[in-house]
Amino acid sequence: MTASMNRRALLSLAGVAGIGLAVAACSSGGDDRSTGRKGSGGGTDPQATPTAEPVAKALSPAQVPLAGGVTVTVTGAGLAAVKGVTVGGVAARDVQATASKVTFTAPHQAMYAAGDAEVALFTSAIEPTPSANQSSDGNGSAANDGQTGATQDTATATPTPTAAPAPAAGDAVATTSLAYAALTDVDRQLAYAMRYWKDYNLAEYGTMNPIGGDCANYVSQTLIARGWEQRSDWYNRAAGAEHSATWTYCPTMDPWLADNAAEFGLTRRSSDERDKVKVGDIVFFDWNANGSPDHTTIVSEVFTESDGTIRIKSASHNQDGPYRDLDEMITVQHPGGSAWFHTFDA
């Protein structure tokens, strides 16, 4: 009696174990049909939405001014993660992104030169940085800025450091391109300024370095490129052999601009009115506080820092440079100097 019962119990237990093993075998690595997901054996979730690869399909407008400042829209797919944009290696401001488009404000072309520029989209924010200056005195300007004495070459203060470059376009998640073109008077003025900041236009205007400095001669040339015309009281002829003081001499040029401000559409502004200054405006400097200008430049960049500080960069001869920093000029290079502007009303 006892032996028979024991055999039946053992068979019953074996049957239960067999069912459990069968259930375990069916569950391992199989589909969980209640969720539609793969089990612990791995695989993907068929209900999950795959992340679209970022792609830039179109850009508008396809052409922008050399001075930038216009809103550009890139349309495509998978663009929601874009946080930074560079155009020709220059960081753009005002970047906004959705899944289907990215908008940004086009920066000025690095050296105001016409041509195609690569638009690169990044998933990390890129802080805009002011343009770095270069230096050349190969045309005899002797780095004097119209003043005998201490210059940047001998000053002991530390200049503003150059910011780190923007990331390489090869690291972008998507790219496209736009074209820079000289579309405005300011574009043409700055294109000229950048072309001739180092390599003087000697054949047409000569150089005034042998008689004191070429800064006013250079600024006057950029105004011709902007659309001004020579006249009887403002001229440079025969490669500089004939010229008016209003064209070549700062102490004469500055009051002449003020006297003709209404005709030229200019407003004279103090250094405290930087928020009114634009690319293409004219800067005068007084190094020794005697009320007479020693130097003049043309504004090549107006850069607003994250804290709201406005930095003015300008192109000049004496010293020759495309992006000289105004504050360095009146503190590091010429301590105690002052500056003022003639700004264009339109």
Side-chain angles (χ1 to χ4, degrees):
M1 183 71 174
T2 304
S4 176
M5 291 275 301
N6 288 339
R7 283 196 295 270
R8 285 197 297 271
L10 288 170
L11 289 171
S12 177
L13 289 170
V16 172
I19 292 170
L21 290 169
V23 172
C26 290
S27 299
S28 178
D31 289 336
D32 178 354
R33 298 186 185 278
S34 67
T35 63
R37 294 180 173 87
K38 284 283 187 179
S40 60
T44 57
D45 180 355
Q47 294 182 354
T49 302
T51 302
E53 287 292 328
V55 59
K57 297 179 180 179
L59 179 145
S60 178
Q63 187 180 73
V64 300
L66 298 179
V70 301
T71 299
V72 176
T73 300
V74 177
T75 55
L79 301 175
V82 172
K83 293 183 174 64
V85 177
T86 62
V87 184
V90 179
R93 294 183 184 268
D94 311 315
V95 178
Q96 300 289 331
T98 66
S100 59
K101 71 177 182 180
V102 174
T103 60
F104 59 89
T105 300
H108 69 79
Q109 202 282 333
M111 291 299 290
Y112 292 90
D116 292 338
E118 186 168 42
V119 178
L121 311 181
F122 300 87
T123 55
S124 58
I126 303 169
E127 189 69 24
T129 57
S131 297
N133 190 41
Q134 304 173 48
S135 181
S136 172
D137 286 310
N139 292 277
S141 62
N144 61 16
D145 273 347
Q147 179 190 26
T148 301
T151 68
Q152 186 179 25
D153 298 328
T154 58
T156 57
T158 303
T160 301
T162 300
D171 297 328
V173 295
T175 60
T176 181
S177 66
L178 58 71
Y180 278 105
L183 304 180
T184 69
D185 290 343
V186 175
D187 286 343
R188 288 180 278 274
Q189 179 188 18
L190 269 294
Y192 183 97
M194 292 300 167
R195 180 179 177 183
Y196 291 109
W197 75 265
K198 178 170 64 173
D199 299 317
Y200 287 22
N201 188 357
L202 299 173
E204 194 167 1
Y205 297 107
T207 174
M208 302 300 145
N209 283 322
I211 59 173
D214 200 61
C215 62
N217 184 30
Y218 172 69
V219 168
S220 293
Q221 292 170 45
T222 74
L223 295 174
I224 292 292
R226 186 180 178 119
W228 287 25
E229 296 181 354
Q230 296 192 40
R231 38 193 271 173
S232 60
D233 60 346
W234 183 69
Y235 61 87
N236 178 323
R237 307 186 184 109
E242 302 173 13
H243 55 84
S244 65
T246 53
W247 181 289
T248 60
Y249 185 50
C250 288
T252 304
M253 184 182 192
D254 177 50
W256 177 77
L257 290 172
D259 290 344
N260 293 279
E263 180 182 354
F264 298 150
L266 295 172
T267 298
R268 192 181 191 278
R269 300 188 186 277
S270 71
S271 60
D272 295 329
E273 298 178 276
R274 296 189 185 197
D275 60 325
K276 304 294 196 303
V277 176
K278 306 176 296 298
V279 168
D281 289 343
I282 305 162
V283 195
F284 280 91
F285 298 86
D286 178 4
W287 301 142
N288 50 16
N290 67 354
S292 178
D294 300 289
H295 188 51
T296 184
T297 66
I298 201 78
V299 175
S300 53
E301 183 175 76
V302 180
F303 186 90
T304 303
E305 302 279 6
S306 58
D307 64 359
T309 300
I310 298 174
R311 296 178 62 180
I312 305 295
K313 299 271 192 164
S314 59
S316 74
H317 288 176
N318 307 100
Q319 298 172 4
D320 303 340
Y323 290 109
R324 299 181 64 196
D325 188 274
L326 184 148
D327 290 304
E328 286 185 8
M329 294 169 73
I330 62 177
T331 58
V332 176
Q333 298 175 13
H334 303 282
S338 62
W340 62 93
F341 310 97
H342 291 275
T343 65
F344 285 85
D345 299 333

